[in-house]
Amino acid sequence: MNTWDEIRGFPLAIRLLLVNQLGVNTGFYLLVPYLATHLGDDLGMSAAVVGVVLGVRNLSQQGLFLIGGSAADRLGARGVIIAGCAIRTVGFALFALGDGLPVLLAASVLSGVAGALFNPAVRTYLAQEAGERRAEAFALFNVFATTGALIGPLLGSALLLVDFRASALTAAGIFALLTVAQALVLPARQVPPATGGVTADWREAVGNRAFLAFALAMVGMFTLENQLYLLLPAGARQATGWDGAAGLVLLTGTVAGIAFQLRITRALSRRGTRGRWIAAGLVLMGLAFVPPMLVAGAGTPPEGPLDATLRALPVLSGALLLHLGVMVAQPFVMELIPVFGRQELTGTYFGIFYAVSGIAAAVGNAAVGRAMDVAAPGSPAAMLPWACCLAAGLLSAAAVAWLHRNGTLPRTRPAPMAVAA
C-alpha cells in the first residue's frame, strides 16, 4: 500500500487534518522567516525592537500551550482548532495592514496564541480519531508538515518579489480557507464531562513523573530538529558559498519523508518496542551532525562548482540522516504521549509536552547560536556547534533508553474512537 492509498484509508476527519497541517506550515513559513527582514529593512526598526516583536510571538505560543491543551480537553478539539486558525488569520492580516509597533505587537501576540491553541488540539483530535493506528497517522502528519515547511519559504520568496504585504495577505488567506474548511467539514465530537477543575488536571499531569521524565528526555529531539532551520542551512551556505544551498536541506528531507516515512513507521511498528525505536531515532539525529564536521573547519571558499558540490555532500548527508532520525522517532513519540494518562486529558498532556519542547528548543537554539558565534571558520572551534548537537542527540537517546529499560515508558494501547455529537 502506497502513501496515497494509506491516506484514503483514514477517515475524512484525519484527511482534513493532514491537509490542514500542510496549509498551516505553508502559511507560517511563507511569512515568519521573512518577518525580521521586513521589520528591520522595510520598516527601519532596530534589532532590539525586532527581537521584541519576534520574542512576543514565541512567548505567546510557548507560554500558552497548556491553555490550548486544556481547552481541547474541556471544549472539544474541533472548536479549538477552528478558533486557532481564525485567530492566526487576523494576526497575519495585521502584519500586512499595520506598520506601527502596537499593531505589530498585537499581530505577534495573536499569531502566537493561535499556535498555542491549534497545535495541541490538532494532535489531540488526531490521536483520538486514529485509534490503534496512531503511529501511522502521525507519520503521515509528519509528511504533510515537512512538505508545508518546504513549500512555504519557496512561495514566500516568490511573493516577496511583489512585497511583504503580499506574503502576509496570502498567509492570512490560507488560514482563512483552513478555518472555513474545518468549520464545514471537520466532524464535531462529544466532549467527556469534566470531573474536576482545570488546575486539578494540570496537577495530575505534572505529577505524572513518568511523563515528565519522558518529556525532559526528549528535549534533544526538538533542539536538533530546529537545526534544520539554523545550523544546517548555515553550514550548507558556508560550505558551498551559495545562499540557495540552504533550501536543499529542506528539499532533501521533504523528498525522503514522502518516499520513506510511512514505510519506516509501518515496518518498525511491527517489531521491537516504541522506546527502543525512539532511542534509535535520537542516535541517528545525533550522528547526523558528524558528516558536516568534515567541512565545518574549511576557512576558504570553494574553488569552483565541483569543489562546492563535494563540500555540500557531507552537509546534505547530515540533513538526510537527521530527517531519517526524525522519521524513526517522532511518530512513536506522538503515539506514546496520550498513553501516559487518561484519555480525557490527552490535550493537557500534549500541551505540557509542547511547552517543555518549546522551552528546550529556545534554550538549545541559543546555545547552538552562541557556539556558532565563537566558531571561526578554519579553526578547531568551527566544529563546536556540530559537536554540541551530537552530544545532545546521544544524551537524549541514552535517557530514553534508560527509561525504556526500567519500565517507565508505558505500553501503547488503542485510543477509544471518538463519538460523533
Side-chain angles (χ1 to χ4, degrees):
M1 182 183 292
N2 60 37
T3 300
W4 299 113
D5 290 335
E6 186 73 20
I7 293 171
R8 287 193 293 267
F10 278 104
L12 175 62
I14 289 183
R15 283 180 275 161
L16 179 60
L17 291 177
L18 296 178
V19 175
N20 173 74
Q21 192 60 28
L22 174 69
V24 164
N25 275 19
T26 298
F28 181 86
Y29 285 105
L30 77 83
L31 171 67
V32 173
Y34 308 105
L35 181 57
T37 302
H38 168 66
L39 297 176
D41 295 349
D42 298 341
L43 303 184
M45 294 183 173
S46 67
V49 174
V50 172
V52 168
V53 174
L54 298 180
V56 163
R57 191 202 66 79
N58 287 330
L59 182 61
S60 300
Q61 180 162 317
Q62 295 169 10
L64 296 176
F65 272 132
L66 184 54
I67 302 296
S70 293
D73 291 335
R74 296 278 173 149
L75 305 177
R78 176 183 180 273
V80 177
I81 294 169
I82 295 171
C85 287
I87 292 172
R88 182 157 282 183
T89 301
V90 177
F92 280 3
L94 284 178
F95 279 124
L97 303 176
D99 294 339
L101 183 59
V103 175
L104 294 172
L105 287 175
S108 289
V109 170
L110 290 175
S111 300
V113 169
L117 289 176
F118 62 66
N119 275 331
V122 166
R123 286 156 179 81
T124 299
Y125 198 118
L126 195 69
Q128 293 174 345
E129 186 76 15
E132 62 183 8
R133 301 177 65 193
R134 287 194 303 268
E136 294 177 17
F138 278 113
L140 288 171
F141 190 81
N142 195 25
V143 172
F144 278 75
T146 304
T147 304
L150 173 67
I151 295 174
L154 297 177
L155 181 58
S157 297
L159 289 169
L160 283 176
L161 297 176
V162 182
D163 60 15
F164 177 82
R165 285 179 172 80
S167 295
L169 289 175
T170 301
I174 290 173
F175 278 96
L177 289 175
L178 293 176
T179 303
V180 173
Q182 289 165 123
L184 293 176
V185 182
L186 194 63
R189 302 300 184 193
Q190 280 187 339
V191 181
T195 57
V198 173
T199 55
D201 294 344
W202 295 351
R203 285 196 298 269
E204 179 180 338
V206 173
N208 189 327
R209 295 183 179 180
F211 169 69
L212 281 186
F214 179 68
L216 293 173
M218 293 307 304
V219 297
M221 185 179 82
F222 291 95
T223 298
L224 299 189
E225 195 174 2
N226 270 263
Q227 302 319 307
L228 290 168
Y229 310 103
L230 178 63
L231 181 58
L232 282 166
R237 287 191 293 266
Q238 179 183 333
T240 63
W242 175 45
D243 288 341
L248 297 178
V249 171
L250 291 176
L251 179 62
T252 299
T254 302
V255 173
I258 294 173
F260 302 117
Q261 174 68 86
L262 193 59
R263 298 178 184 179
I264 289 173
T265 302
R266 188 185 293 120
L268 297 183
S269 63
R270 296 169 182 163
R271 57 181 65 88
T273 58
R274 300 324 193 221
R276 180 182 300 173
W277 294 128
I278 293 171
L282 288 167
V283 170
L284 288 176
M285 293 178 70
L287 293 177
F289 295 88
V290 174
M293 286 186 190
L294 300 175
V295 294
T300 58
E303 300 176 358
L306 178 59
D307 188 27
T309 301
L310 293 176
R311 292 190 186 190
L313 290 178
V315 181
L316 294 180
S317 63
L320 178 59
L321 198 58
L322 180 58
H323 279 287
L324 287 174
V326 173
M327 284 189 274
V328 169
Q330 194 175 71
F332 298 125
V333 172
M334 297 295 104
E335 183 187 22
L336 273 185
I337 291 171
V339 187
F340 279 96
R342 294 185 288 124
Q343 190 220 4
E344 293 82 3
L345 295 184
T346 297
T348 301
Y349 277 88
F350 271 115
I352 293 175
F353 187 81
Y354 273 92
V356 172
S357 68
I359 295 171
V363 173
N365 274 350
V368 173
R370 176 57 180 163
M372 292 170 66
D373 288 338
V374 302
S379 70
M383 294 188 291
L384 180 60
W386 308 96
C388 290
C389 291
L390 169 63
L394 297 182
L395 286 173
S396 272
V400 172
W402 180 77
L403 293 175
H404 171 65
R405 283 197 302 270
N406 66 20
T408 300
L409 301 183
R411 294 181 178 271
T412 57
R413 63 174 183 265
M417 294 297 291
V419 179

